[in-house]
Amino acid sequence: FLDKYFKEYEVIWVTDAEWIAMGALLKQIVTSDDIILMPGGGYFGDLWESWITYKQLLECFPHNIKILLPNTMTYREQNWYDSKSVKNDIQCLKSQNNIFVFWRDIHSFSFFKKYKDLNVYYAPDMALFLEHSITYQNKKDESILLCYRNDREKIASKEHKIKDIVSGCGLKYEEKDIHLNHYLTLEDGYTAVLETIKKMQDYSLVLTDRLHAMIMSYLAHTPCVATDNLTRKLSGVYPWIKLDSIQIIDNVNKINEQLIKQMISKKEEKRQLLDDEFD
């Protein structure tokens, strides 16, 4: 994205670990003219610890231009309007000059857009920018990928019944999480993402509660049934996709043989590219 739109800028990558280890030194190096970009994702809130690091970063550079790339609100308390953590984070943003916050899901954006004194925008998940990087291959086999979370965002808990249902359809399945559980270099990470999307083209259907498994299914042109997880980010990001071959359900118990067969039989649809949104 930066290579395409901001070729005239020099981009310096700093990882979380590097910031934690060398924040004091980096603070001396960064000038007031530097623009600070924070990666998108689902760390904004108290569900994950990463937001603490990013808030510390914001506080170190209150006057620099700071851009939070498309994110999602992730809080333990689901009633955002009464949450003390949410109110504290709103005050944190209001204390900043030159901060621009992008939300990738409609739930977070709808909540935040009422704060007229904040620069809040609605934009696609950054992974959807990969749409032009994928070579489409229509070589599906008769197997299904089961890709379910096993962390604090998980709410689906009956995968064993899904396996029985898939077997009842006479189909094979593979269980695999897209989370690799180890650190990668930027280059290796990019390669791993493209390889995962390419592998997803082999399946007839993906069943998941992971947002990026749903997005990768979309990029791979593979049908997907996605169950919303604790943060509701799948249903929140879905409006960017809006395909009949990608379905959102609110409960894993709604998966049955009829739905599986129906989704596998979905034909390739004409899709609306998101180039204008990224422009």
Side-chain angles (χ1 to χ4, degrees), residues 77-87 111:
E77 194 174 338
Q78 296 303 293
N79 185 351
W80 296 338
Y81 291 94
D82 292 335
S83 169
K84 188 177 292 186
S85 293
V86 173
K87 290 174 182 175
F111 176 83

Side-chain angles (χ1 to χ4, degrees), residues 74-205:
T74 52
Y75 288 90
R76 291 185 175 90
E77 194 174 338
Q78 296 303 293
N79 185 351
W80 296 338
Y81 291 94
D82 292 335
S83 169
K84 188 177 292 186
S85 293
V86 173
K87 290 174 182 175
N88 288 339
D89 289 340
I90 290 169
Q91 286 307 121
C92 170
L93 296 180
K94 286 184 175 182
S95 69
Q96 294 286 319
N97 295 318
N98 297 320
I99 188 166
F100 303 87
V101 183
F102 287 80
W103 299 108
R104 64 185 178 177
D105 72 290
I106 195 63
H107 306 313
S108 300
F109 176 68
S110 297
F111 176 83
F112 254 93
K113 69 179 180 180
K114 68 179 183 295
Y115 294 98
K116 305 301 182 186
D117 49 346
L118 291 174
N119 298 309
V120 176
Y121 306 90
Y122 183 46
D125 183 279
M126 295 303 296
L128 289 165
F129 188 74
L130 290 173
E131 195 151 21
H132 294 292
S133 303
I134 310 303
T135 302
Y136 176 51
Q137 297 174 348
N138 187 14
K139 56 181 187 67
K140 314 290 185 195
D141 63 21
E142 290 294 309
S143 64
I144 292 177
L145 174 63
L146 307 182
C147 181
Y148 286 92
R149 306 186 73 102
N150 191 26
D151 57 26
R152 64 190 76 173
E153 289 189 34
K154 177 186 180 72
I155 55 175
S157 59
K158 300 195 175 179
E159 294 92 329
H160 62 286
K161 288 190 177 180
I162 295 176
K163 297 172 195 174
D164 292 341
I165 293 167
V166 171
S167 298
C169 294
L171 298 168
K172 298 178 293 182
Y173 64 84
E174 182 179 357
E175 291 181 90
K176 187 175 182 181
D177 197 347
I178 58 171
H179 196 296
L180 299 180
N181 291 310
H182 61 84
Y183 290 106
L184 297 170
T185 65
L186 185 67
E187 294 78 13
D188 288 346
Y190 187 69
T191 300
V193 167
L194 293 180
E195 286 178 349
T196 302
I197 296 170
K198 184 179 178 182
K199 173 63 178 172
M200 279 191 169
Q201 293 184 352
D202 295 340
Y203 298 102
S204 298
L205 178 65

